[in-house]
Amino acid sequence: MPSDTLTQTARLVSLLTEALALADAIGLPLAAIHIDEAIAGITQADDPQQA
């Protein structure tokens, strides 16, 4: 995977992690679930051994 793509993926995961913390803090459990699933999907797709 090109380094630019890795950098963008890392930034996306970072932003989603911040969004997850915010959703938890303001009490949006459904949003938190979807954000957590998005993070899991990105990190799983990023790790070919999990496929």
Short mmCIF file of all heavy atoms in Angstrom, two decimals:
data_model
loop_
_atom_site.label_atom_id
_atom_site.label_comp_id
_atom_site.label_asym_id
_atom_site.label_seq_id
_atom_site.Cartn_x
_atom_site.Cartn_y
_atom_site.Cartn_z
N MET A 1 0.85 -1.17 0.00
CA MET A 1 0.00 0.00 0.00
C MET A 1 0.90 1.24 0.00
O MET A 1 1.82 1.32 0.81
CB MET A 1 -0.90 -0.04 1.25
CG MET A 1 -2.01 0.96 1.23
SD MET A 1 -3.10 0.87 2.68
CE MET A 1 -4.02 -0.61 2.36
N PRO A 2 0.64 2.20 -0.88
CA PRO A 2 1.48 3.40 -0.93
C PRO A 2 1.45 4.17 0.39
O PRO A 2 0.45 4.15 1.11
CB PRO A 2 0.85 4.23 -2.05
CG PRO A 2 0.07 3.27 -2.86
CD PRO A 2 -0.36 2.18 -1.93
N SER A 3 2.55 4.84 0.69
CA SER A 3 2.64 5.53 1.97
C SER A 3 1.58 6.62 2.12
O SER A 3 1.10 6.87 3.23
CB SER A 3 4.04 6.11 2.17
OG SER A 3 4.29 7.13 1.22
N ASP A 4 1.21 7.28 1.02
CA ASP A 4 0.17 8.30 1.11
C ASP A 4 -1.16 7.68 1.54
O ASP A 4 -1.89 8.25 2.36
CB ASP A 4 0.02 9.02 -0.24
CG ASP A 4 -0.96 10.18 -0.17
OD1 ASP A 4 -0.85 10.98 0.79
OD2 ASP A 4 -1.82 10.29 -1.05
N THR A 5 -1.46 6.51 1.01
CA THR A 5 -2.69 5.81 1.39
C THR A 5 -2.65 5.40 2.85
O THR A 5 -3.64 5.53 3.57
CB THR A 5 -2.92 4.58 0.49
OG1 THR A 5 -2.95 5.01 -0.87
CG2 THR A 5 -4.20 3.86 0.84
N LEU A 6 -1.49 4.93 3.30
CA LEU A 6 -1.35 4.57 4.71
C LEU A 6 -1.54 5.78 5.61
O LEU A 6 -2.18 5.70 6.66
CB LEU A 6 0.02 3.93 4.96
CG LEU A 6 0.23 2.54 4.36
CD1 LEU A 6 1.68 2.09 4.53
CD2 LEU A 6 -0.71 1.54 5.01
N THR A 7 -0.98 6.91 5.20
CA THR A 7 -1.12 8.14 5.98
C THR A 7 -2.58 8.56 6.05
O THR A 7 -3.08 8.93 7.12
CB THR A 7 -0.27 9.27 5.35
OG1 THR A 7 1.09 8.85 5.32
CG2 THR A 7 -0.38 10.55 6.13
N GLN A 8 -3.26 8.51 4.91
CA GLN A 8 -4.67 8.89 4.89
C GLN A 8 -5.53 7.93 5.70
O GLN A 8 -6.46 8.35 6.39
CB GLN A 8 -5.17 8.96 3.45
CG GLN A 8 -4.57 10.11 2.68
CD GLN A 8 -4.97 10.11 1.21
OE1 GLN A 8 -5.67 9.22 0.75
NE2 GLN A 8 -4.53 11.12 0.49
N THR A 9 -5.21 6.65 5.65
CA THR A 9 -5.95 5.66 6.43
C THR A 9 -5.75 5.90 7.92
O THR A 9 -6.70 5.86 8.69
CB THR A 9 -5.52 4.24 6.04
OG1 THR A 9 -5.77 4.04 4.65
CG2 THR A 9 -6.28 3.20 6.85
N ALA A 10 -4.51 6.18 8.31
CA ALA A 10 -4.22 6.45 9.72
C ALA A 10 -4.97 7.70 10.19
O ALA A 10 -5.51 7.74 11.31
CB ALA A 10 -2.72 6.62 9.93
N ARG A 11 -5.02 8.72 9.35
CA ARG A 11 -5.73 9.95 9.71
C ARG A 11 -7.23 9.67 9.83
O ARG A 11 -7.88 10.17 10.75
CB ARG A 11 -5.47 11.02 8.64
CG ARG A 11 -6.17 12.32 8.90
CD ARG A 11 -5.61 13.05 10.11
NE ARG A 11 -6.32 14.29 10.30
CZ ARG A 11 -6.72 14.76 11.46
NH1 ARG A 11 -6.42 14.11 12.57
NH2 ARG A 11 -7.39 15.87 11.55
N LEU A 12 -7.78 8.88 8.93
CA LEU A 12 -9.20 8.53 8.99
C LEU A 12 -9.52 7.78 10.28
O LEU A 12 -10.50 8.09 10.96
CB LEU A 12 -9.60 7.70 7.78
CG LEU A 12 -11.05 7.23 7.74
CD1 LEU A 12 -12.02 8.40 7.79
CD2 LEU A 12 -11.29 6.39 6.49
N VAL A 13 -8.68 6.82 10.64
CA VAL A 13 -8.90 6.07 11.88
C VAL A 13 -8.81 7.00 13.08
O VAL A 13 -9.61 6.91 14.02
CB VAL A 13 -7.91 4.89 12.00
CG1 VAL A 13 -7.97 4.26 13.37
CG2 VAL A 13 -8.20 3.85 10.93
N SER A 14 -7.87 7.94 13.04
CA SER A 14 -7.74 8.90 14.13
C SER A 14 -9.00 9.76 14.26
O SER A 14 -9.50 9.97 15.37
CB SER A 14 -6.51 9.79 13.87
OG SER A 14 -6.42 10.80 14.84
N LEU A 15 -9.51 10.24 13.14
CA LEU A 15 -10.73 11.06 13.18
C LEU A 15 -11.94 10.25 13.65
O LEU A 15 -12.77 10.74 14.43
CB LEU A 15 -11.00 11.65 11.80
CG LEU A 15 -10.05 12.75 11.34
CD1 LEU A 15 -10.30 13.07 9.87
CD2 LEU A 15 -10.20 13.98 12.20
N LEU A 16 -12.03 9.01 13.19
CA LEU A 16 -13.13 8.16 13.64
C LEU A 16 -13.03 7.84 15.13
O LEU A 16 -14.05 7.76 15.82
CB LEU A 16 -13.18 6.87 12.82
CG LEU A 16 -13.72 7.02 11.41
CD1 LEU A 16 -13.49 5.74 10.60
CD2 LEU A 16 -15.18 7.40 11.41
N THR A 17 -11.81 7.70 15.63
CA THR A 17 -11.62 7.46 17.06
C THR A 17 -12.07 8.66 17.87
O THR A 17 -12.71 8.52 18.92
CB THR A 17 -10.14 7.13 17.34
OG1 THR A 17 -9.78 5.97 16.57
CG2 THR A 17 -9.91 6.84 18.82
N GLU A 18 -11.77 9.86 17.38
CA GLU A 18 -12.24 11.07 18.04
C GLU A 18 -13.76 11.16 17.99
O GLU A 18 -14.40 11.54 18.98
CB GLU A 18 -11.63 12.30 17.38
CG GLU A 18 -10.14 12.45 17.62
CD GLU A 18 -9.55 13.66 16.89
OE1 GLU A 18 -10.30 14.63 16.65
OE2 GLU A 18 -8.36 13.63 16.59
N ALA A 19 -14.34 10.81 16.86
CA ALA A 19 -15.80 10.82 16.73
C ALA A 19 -16.44 9.80 17.67
O ALA A 19 -17.50 10.06 18.26
CB ALA A 19 -16.20 10.53 15.29
N LEU A 20 -15.80 8.66 17.84
CA LEU A 20 -16.31 7.64 18.75
C LEU A 20 -16.31 8.15 20.19
O LEU A 20 -17.29 7.99 20.91
CB LEU A 20 -15.46 6.37 18.64
CG LEU A 20 -15.82 5.21 19.56
CD1 LEU A 20 -17.25 4.75 19.34
CD2 LEU A 20 -14.84 4.06 19.35
N ALA A 21 -15.23 8.81 20.58
CA ALA A 21 -15.16 9.37 21.93
C ALA A 21 -16.25 10.43 22.13
O ALA A 21 -16.89 10.49 23.19
CB ALA A 21 -13.78 9.97 22.18
N LEU A 22 -16.47 11.25 21.12
CA LEU A 22 -17.51 12.27 21.21
C LEU A 22 -18.90 11.64 21.30
O LEU A 22 -19.73 12.05 22.11
CB LEU A 22 -17.43 13.20 20.00
CG LEU A 22 -18.44 14.34 19.95
CD1 LEU A 22 -18.31 15.25 21.16
CD2 LEU A 22 -18.28 15.13 18.67
N ALA A 23 -19.16 10.65 20.47
CA ALA A 23 -20.46 9.97 20.51
C ALA A 23 -20.70 9.33 21.87
O ALA A 23 -21.82 9.39 22.40
CB ALA A 23 -20.53 8.92 19.40
N ASP A 24 -19.66 8.74 22.45
CA ASP A 24 -19.80 8.17 23.79
C ASP A 24 -20.05 9.25 24.82
O ASP A 24 -20.89 9.10 25.71
CB ASP A 24 -18.53 7.39 24.17
CG ASP A 24 -18.46 6.02 23.52
OD1 ASP A 24 -19.51 5.49 23.12
OD2 ASP A 24 -17.34 5.48 23.41
N ALA A 25 -19.34 10.38 24.71
CA ALA A 25 -19.45 11.46 25.69
C ALA A 25 -20.83 12.11 25.68
O ALA A 25 -21.33 12.49 26.75
CB ALA A 25 -18.38 12.51 25.43
N ILE A 26 -21.43 12.24 24.51
CA ILE A 26 -22.73 12.92 24.47
C ILE A 26 -23.91 11.94 24.44
O ILE A 26 -25.05 12.35 24.30
CB ILE A 26 -22.81 13.92 23.29
CG1 ILE A 26 -22.66 13.23 21.93
CG2 ILE A 26 -21.80 15.01 23.45
CD1 ILE A 26 -22.84 14.15 20.74
N GLY A 27 -23.60 10.68 24.59
CA GLY A 27 -24.66 9.68 24.75
C GLY A 27 -25.38 9.30 23.47
O GLY A 27 -26.61 9.27 23.44
N LEU A 28 -24.63 9.01 22.44
CA LEU A 28 -25.20 8.55 21.18
C LEU A 28 -24.73 7.12 20.90
O LEU A 28 -23.84 6.88 20.09
CB LEU A 28 -24.80 9.47 20.03
CG LEU A 28 -25.28 10.91 20.12
CD1 LEU A 28 -24.66 11.75 19.02
CD2 LEU A 28 -26.80 10.97 20.06
N PRO A 29 -25.33 6.14 21.58
CA PRO A 29 -24.84 4.77 21.45
C PRO A 29 -24.95 4.18 20.05
O PRO A 29 -24.07 3.44 19.63
CB PRO A 29 -25.69 3.98 22.45
CG PRO A 29 -26.91 4.80 22.66
CD PRO A 29 -26.50 6.23 22.47
N LEU A 30 -26.00 4.52 19.32
CA LEU A 30 -26.14 3.98 17.97
C LEU A 30 -25.04 4.52 17.06
O LEU A 30 -24.45 3.77 16.27
CB LEU A 30 -27.52 4.31 17.40
CG LEU A 30 -27.89 3.62 16.09
CD1 LEU A 30 -27.81 2.11 16.23
CD2 LEU A 30 -29.28 4.03 15.66
N ALA A 31 -24.74 5.80 17.18
CA ALA A 31 -23.65 6.39 16.40
C ALA A 31 -22.33 5.75 16.79
O ALA A 31 -21.50 5.43 15.92
CB ALA A 31 -23.58 7.90 16.62
N ALA A 32 -22.13 5.52 18.08
CA ALA A 32 -20.88 4.91 18.56
C ALA A 32 -20.70 3.51 17.98
O ALA A 32 -19.60 3.13 17.58
CB ALA A 32 -20.86 4.88 20.08
N ILE A 33 -21.78 2.77 17.89
CA ILE A 33 -21.71 1.42 17.33
C ILE A 33 -21.28 1.47 15.87
O ILE A 33 -20.40 0.73 15.43
CB ILE A 33 -23.07 0.69 17.47
CG1 ILE A 33 -23.33 0.36 18.93
CG2 ILE A 33 -23.12 -0.57 16.61
CD1 ILE A 33 -24.76 -0.10 19.22
N HIS A 34 -21.88 2.37 15.11
CA HIS A 34 -21.55 2.46 13.68
C HIS A 34 -20.12 2.96 13.46
O HIS A 34 -19.42 2.46 12.57
CB HIS A 34 -22.55 3.36 12.95
CG HIS A 34 -23.89 2.73 12.78
ND1 HIS A 34 -24.11 1.69 11.91
CD2 HIS A 34 -25.07 2.97 13.39
CE1 HIS A 34 -25.38 1.32 11.98
NE2 HIS A 34 -25.98 2.09 12.87
N ILE A 35 -19.70 3.90 14.27
CA ILE A 35 -18.32 4.41 14.16
C ILE A 35 -17.34 3.30 14.51
O ILE A 35 -16.34 3.10 13.82
CB ILE A 35 -18.12 5.64 15.06
CG1 ILE A 35 -18.99 6.79 14.57
CG2 ILE A 35 -16.65 6.04 15.10
CD1 ILE A 35 -19.10 7.95 15.56
N ASP A 36 -17.64 2.55 15.57
CA ASP A 36 -16.77 1.44 15.97
C ASP A 36 -16.70 0.37 14.87
O ASP A 36 -15.62 -0.16 14.59
CB ASP A 36 -17.29 0.84 17.28
CG ASP A 36 -16.31 -0.13 17.90
OD1 ASP A 36 -15.11 0.20 17.95
OD2 ASP A 36 -16.74 -1.21 18.34
N GLU A 37 -17.81 0.10 14.23
CA GLU A 37 -17.80 -0.87 13.13
C GLU A 37 -16.98 -0.35 11.94
O GLU A 37 -16.29 -1.13 11.28
CB GLU A 37 -19.23 -1.17 12.68
CG GLU A 37 -20.01 -2.00 13.66
CD GLU A 37 -21.47 -2.21 13.27
OE1 GLU A 37 -21.94 -1.53 12.32
OE2 GLU A 37 -22.13 -3.03 13.90
N ALA A 38 -17.05 0.95 11.69
CA ALA A 38 -16.25 1.54 10.61
C ALA A 38 -14.76 1.41 10.90
O ALA A 38 -13.97 1.05 10.03
CB ALA A 38 -16.63 3.00 10.40
N ILE A 39 -14.39 1.69 12.14
CA ILE A 39 -12.98 1.56 12.54
C ILE A 39 -12.53 0.10 12.37
O ILE A 39 -11.46 -0.16 11.82
CB ILE A 39 -12.76 2.03 13.99
CG1 ILE A 39 -13.00 3.54 14.10
CG2 ILE A 39 -11.35 1.68 14.47
CD1 ILE A 39 -13.05 4.06 15.53
N ALA A 40 -13.35 -0.82 12.81
CA ALA A 40 -13.00 -2.24 12.70
C ALA A 40 -12.86 -2.65 11.23
O ALA A 40 -11.94 -3.39 10.87
CB ALA A 40 -14.05 -3.10 13.39
N GLY A 41 -13.75 -2.17 10.39
CA GLY A 41 -13.67 -2.50 8.96
C GLY A 41 -12.42 -1.96 8.31
O GLY A 41 -11.79 -2.64 7.49
N ILE A 42 -12.04 -0.75 8.67
CA ILE A 42 -10.83 -0.16 8.09
C ILE A 42 -9.59 -0.89 8.57
O ILE A 42 -8.72 -1.23 7.76
CB ILE A 42 -10.74 1.34 8.46
CG1 ILE A 42 -11.83 2.12 7.75
CG2 ILE A 42 -9.36 1.91 8.10
CD1 ILE A 42 -12.01 3.53 8.26
N THR A 43 -9.50 -1.15 9.85
CA THR A 43 -8.31 -1.81 10.38
C THR A 43 -8.23 -3.26 9.90
O THR A 43 -7.14 -3.77 9.67
CB THR A 43 -8.24 -1.72 11.91
OG1 THR A 43 -9.44 -2.26 12.48
CG2 THR A 43 -8.06 -0.30 12.37
N GLN A 44 -9.37 -3.91 9.72
CA GLN A 44 -9.36 -5.29 9.21
C GLN A 44 -8.93 -5.30 7.76
O GLN A 44 -8.16 -6.16 7.33
CB GLN A 44 -10.73 -5.93 9.37
CG GLN A 44 -10.75 -7.38 8.95
CD GLN A 44 -12.10 -8.02 9.16
OE1 GLN A 44 -13.12 -7.32 9.23
NE2 GLN A 44 -12.12 -9.31 9.26
N ALA A 45 -9.42 -4.35 6.97
CA ALA A 45 -9.05 -4.28 5.55
C ALA A 45 -7.58 -3.92 5.40
O ALA A 45 -6.95 -4.28 4.41
CB ALA A 45 -9.91 -3.25 4.85
N ASP A 46 -7.04 -3.23 6.39
CA ASP A 46 -5.63 -2.81 6.35
C ASP A 46 -4.68 -3.95 6.71
O ASP A 46 -3.51 -3.90 6.41
CB ASP A 46 -5.44 -1.64 7.32
CG ASP A 46 -4.19 -0.85 7.07
OD1 ASP A 46 -3.75 -0.80 5.90
OD2 ASP A 46 -3.65 -0.28 8.03
N ASP A 47 -5.22 -5.01 7.33
CA ASP A 47 -4.40 -6.14 7.77
C ASP A 47 -4.75 -7.37 6.94
O ASP A 47 -5.74 -8.05 7.22
CB ASP A 47 -4.62 -6.42 9.25
CG ASP A 47 -3.71 -7.49 9.81
OD1 ASP A 47 -2.86 -8.02 9.06
OD2 ASP A 47 -3.82 -7.81 11.01
N PRO A 48 -3.98 -7.68 5.90
CA PRO A 48 -4.34 -8.80 5.02
C PRO A 48 -4.36 -10.16 5.71
O PRO A 48 -4.97 -11.10 5.23
CB PRO A 48 -3.27 -8.74 3.92
CG PRO A 48 -2.18 -7.91 4.45
CD PRO A 48 -2.77 -7.03 5.53
N GLN A 49 -3.70 -10.31 6.85
CA GLN A 49 -3.69 -11.60 7.55
C GLN A 49 -5.04 -11.90 8.17
O GLN A 49 -5.35 -13.05 8.45
CB GLN A 49 -2.62 -11.61 8.62
CG GLN A 49 -1.22 -11.62 8.05
CD GLN A 49 -0.16 -11.69 9.13
OE1 GLN A 49 -0.45 -11.48 10.31
NE2 GLN A 49 1.06 -11.96 8.75
N GLN A 50 -5.87 -10.88 8.40
CA GLN A 50 -7.19 -11.09 8.99
C GLN A 50 -8.23 -11.46 7.94
O GLN A 50 -9.32 -11.86 8.26
CB GLN A 50 -7.65 -9.84 9.74
CG GLN A 50 -6.87 -9.58 10.99
CD GLN A 50 -7.42 -8.39 11.77
OE1 GLN A 50 -8.46 -7.83 11.43
NE2 GLN A 50 -6.73 -8.00 12.80
N ALA A 51 -7.91 -11.30 6.68
CA ALA A 51 -8.87 -11.58 5.61
C ALA A 51 -9.06 -13.08 5.41
O ALA A 51 -8.35 -13.90 5.83
CB ALA A 51 -8.40 -10.94 4.31
#
